[in-house]
Amino acid sequence: QVQLVESGGGLVQAGGSLRLSCAASGRTFSNYAMAWFRQAVGKEREFVAGLHWTSSHTAYAGSLKGRFTISRDNAKTAMYLQMSSLQPDDTAVYYCAADQFLFSVPTQIKNYNYWGQGTQVTVSS
């Protein structure tokens, strides 16, 4: 059993920045990936960025690379998403996900079995 808790969401003006955090607790895997997904109203949940804890592989959605940066804290089981140049289209609930994988960072929702509750990000124009 793995528990994931997101934090750091809020309301920002267009052009602003936010840093999201995801903290993991409970039983861990030897090899696993953690990833961020987001879901806006009326849209499907989509992959944002992710990393593999032991292989150091990272992945980004093509439309977001350059504005969003994923990182981790090795002293904790935690990952972060630094978001800059935020736009109204970035408004969504952002979710943290995790699961066991050998090397890669899957980008499809169906590959992940552990999810957090989400944190709301709202960007005003």
Side-chain angles (χ1 to χ4, degrees), residues 1 6 38 67 88 90 95:
Q1 187 92 353
E6 305 95 334
R38 70 182 185 182
R67 295 195 297 118
D90 295 317
Y95 296 91

Side-chain angles (χ1 to χ4, degrees), residues 36-110:
W36 290 99
F37 291 79
R38 70 182 185 182
Q39 187 166 22
V41 293
K43 295 185 177 181
E44 296 181 348
R45 190 171 299 186
E46 64 178 357
F47 176 80
V48 175
L51 62 85
H52 193 280
W53 209 258
T54 53
S55 76
S56 297
H57 288 175
T58 60
Y60 291 89
S63 61
L64 303 176
K65 190 173 184 178
R67 295 195 297 118
F68 290 11
T69 302
I70 194 167
S71 63
R72 69 185 186 189
D73 186 343
N74 288 330
K76 310 172 183 177
T77 308
M79 70 168 182
Y80 308 95
L81 184 69
Q82 180 66 49
M83 307 184 295
S84 62
S85 301
L86 286 165
Q87 300 299 315
D89 284 348
D90 295 317
T91 296
V93 177
Y94 284 71
Y95 296 91
C96 177
D99 215 329
Q100 185 177 20
F101 309 104
L102 286 178
F103 307 109
S104 64
V105 182
T107 60
Q108 294 186 332
I109 296 171
K110 63 182 181 181

